[in-house]
Amino acid sequence: MSKRPALALAMAPRPSLLGEVDRDWKRMAIYYAQNTGGVGTVRPLPGFRDPLVRARQTPQDLAELAEGLKRLCQCLLSAGAEVVYPSLPGYAPVRSLADVARMPDVLPVGRASVTALHLFSSCPMGEERWRSATDSFGRVWDADGLHIADCSLLPTPTVVNPQGSVMAIAHRNACHFLERAGRVRAATRADAVAAATAA
């Protein structure tokens, strides 16, 4: 995430600093605050390959993100960062803990640069059909043979990168699929043998 193009994109709210990105990008990095809140939608758009993704944050979500941003700035400054540029239009560069103390307690609505890195829960798993799209093994209800194996199964967002969880759930579900498929094939063979013997 800290290559020159990604850094330039992160600094888009501060176009006057793009020269600094070109000059010092090897000494720069992107960090972010994350929470588990927000509500989003994923909708297909006719004629487009990629869907439209929208995210909406509640006031509580914006307060959590503001607190996360403050703590992140404190950590980075304590670790030796010279300056932190929050990617929020109108926010001053953060150079000291006094600057952190002046940051607002809630991110401003409409000015927060909120990004959906990992989309969760578009097809949550569960054992109650009325509140889930799949069973706990990723089998889509009423769509025989259709399985899901990505972070859309997770019922809520995680606070950390979901890669390990997604891989573990996908592995578990694949093993269950193969075990179940083996039992079905064995039962089908047994039925065929029984039918042939009876005839």
Side-chain angles (χ1 to χ4, degrees):
M1 291 283 300
S2 297
K3 300 289 186 189
R4 189 183 315 185
L7 285 160
L9 183 60
M11 294 295 259
R14 302 172 184 277
S16 63
L17 297 175
L18 291 178
E20 191 171 329
V21 172
D22 280 341
R23 186 176 58 254
D24 294 328
W25 71 273
K26 290 183 180 179
R27 295 180 44 226
M28 301 172 99
I30 296 173
Y31 295 92
Y32 57 89
Q34 179 177 324
N35 72 346
T36 61
V39 175
T41 59
V42 180
R43 299 285 183 258
L45 293 175
F48 291 88
R49 191 186 97 217
D50 295 322
L52 173 65
V53 179
R54 293 185 192 162
R56 193 171 16 96
Q57 301 290 324
T58 66
Q60 178 63 36
D61 297 328
L62 294 171
E64 288 174 7
L65 288 169
E67 179 63 24
L69 181 58
K70 286 180 181 182
R71 289 183 185 194
L72 175 62
C73 289
Q74 290 169 345
C75 289
L76 293 171
L77 292 169
S78 296
E82 296 172 13
V83 62
V84 178
Y85 297 103
S87 63
L88 296 161
Y91 269 47
V94 178
R95 299 178 193 282
S96 69
L97 294 179
D99 291 342
V100 174
R102 286 190 288 275
M103 295 172 76
D105 292 332
V106 178
L107 294 183
V109 175
R111 286 182 42 208
S113 179
V114 178
T115 305
L117 292 177
H118 305 287
L119 301 175
F120 294 89
S121 301
S122 56
C123 298
M125 64 181 166
E127 292 304 322
E128 297 170 328
R129 288 174 180 251
W130 66 273
R131 65 186 311 179
S132 60
T134 76
D135 70 7
S136 62
F137 292 101
R139 292 181 297 205
V140 176
W141 298 118
D142 302 322
D144 194 37
L146 181 60
H147 292 73
I148 296 176
D150 63 12
C151 63
S152 62
L153 286 176
L154 301 178
T156 61
T158 61
V159 178
V160 297
N161 187 308
Q163 180 178 358
S165 300
V166 171
M167 290 171 61
I169 291 169
H171 181 264
R172 169 189 172 263
N173 292 356
C175 289
H176 182 264
F177 171 81
L178 293 172
E179 179 183 305
R180 192 166 168 260
R183 281 197 310 261
V184 168
R185 276 196 298 275
T188 302
R189 279 194 300 270
D191 290 344
V193 168
T197 307

